[in-house]
Amino acid sequence: MSYSISTFTYQTNTNAFFIPVEKTVWNYANGGTWTPDSAGQTTLTMGGSGTSGIVRFISNAGENFAVVLGVHNYVRWCDIITDIPTSQTATTLQPLYYASGSTQSAQREKQQATCSAKANNGRTVNVVYTVATGNNLSADIVIG
């Protein structure tokens, strides 16, 4: 059974401008893609449960964070990673969500419909699933 997660990105603070710089998909066996951005919307399409995607953002000031979205045991989930070192990418971060006993794996298991994180500089990032059940999900990413 396939799933899609449409995302809408909003910036509420104008002291930095963020753009998506990397998008990844876990579990290529299920098939997964990100659509091109269009007016602040991008969609992660996945071939089945057990799949996730990461979109990593960077600002004109060099701030770096990532949003992780996926479906685990047929239920949506999300996480946010702030203050990412320049040596890490979404490609290196994503396997951590599938490593047994890892902090990231525990986050996936929580299957939350919302999550929030605060960067060391005080910036907040929130993810809220506005459509949290079914196969055609939707989530807002709010950068504060």
Side-chain angles (χ1 to χ4, degrees):
M1 181 175 294
S2 65
Y3 294 89
S4 67
I5 304 172
S6 295
T7 66
F8 297 87
T9 303
Y10 303 94
Q11 292 187 216
T12 61
N13 193 326
T14 58
N15 65 356
F17 179 72
F18 286 86
I19 60 169
V21 293
E22 181 184 19
K23 295 175 185 170
T24 62
V25 177
W26 180 261
N27 195 347
Y28 292 102
N30 278 341
T33 59
W34 284 97
T35 61
D37 288 319
S38 174
Q41 178 182 4
T42 187
T43 301
L44 171 62
T45 303
M46 303 165 288
S49 182
T51 309
S52 65
I54 294 181
V55 58
R56 186 170 60 90
F57 293 86
I58 194 164
S59 78
N60 54 330
E63 293 177 63
N64 203 350
F65 74 90
V67 171
V68 189
L69 304 163
V71 175
H72 173 68
N73 289 336
Y74 312 101
V75 179
R76 54 58 207 121
W77 64 276
C78 59
D79 194 23
I80 302 164
I81 309 161
T82 60
D83 305 305
I84 300 171
T86 56
S87 62
Q88 288 190 306
T89 66
T91 303
T92 62
L93 293 167
Q94 197 150 24
L96 301 175
Y97 286 88
Y98 298 90
S100 181
S102 70
T103 302
Q104 294 84 359
S105 178
Q107 187 65 24
R108 174 179 50 88
E109 295 282 340
K110 290 179 186 176
Q111 299 176 314
Q112 295 177 324
T114 65
C115 58
S116 181
K118 186 177 245 186
N120 289 337
N121 67 1
R123 183 172 312 282
T124 59
V125 180
N126 296 291
V127 174
V128 176
Y129 275 93
T130 55
V131 177
T133 60
N135 294 71
N136 297 307
L137 308 165
S138 184
D140 289 347
I141 301 168
V142 182
I143 307 165

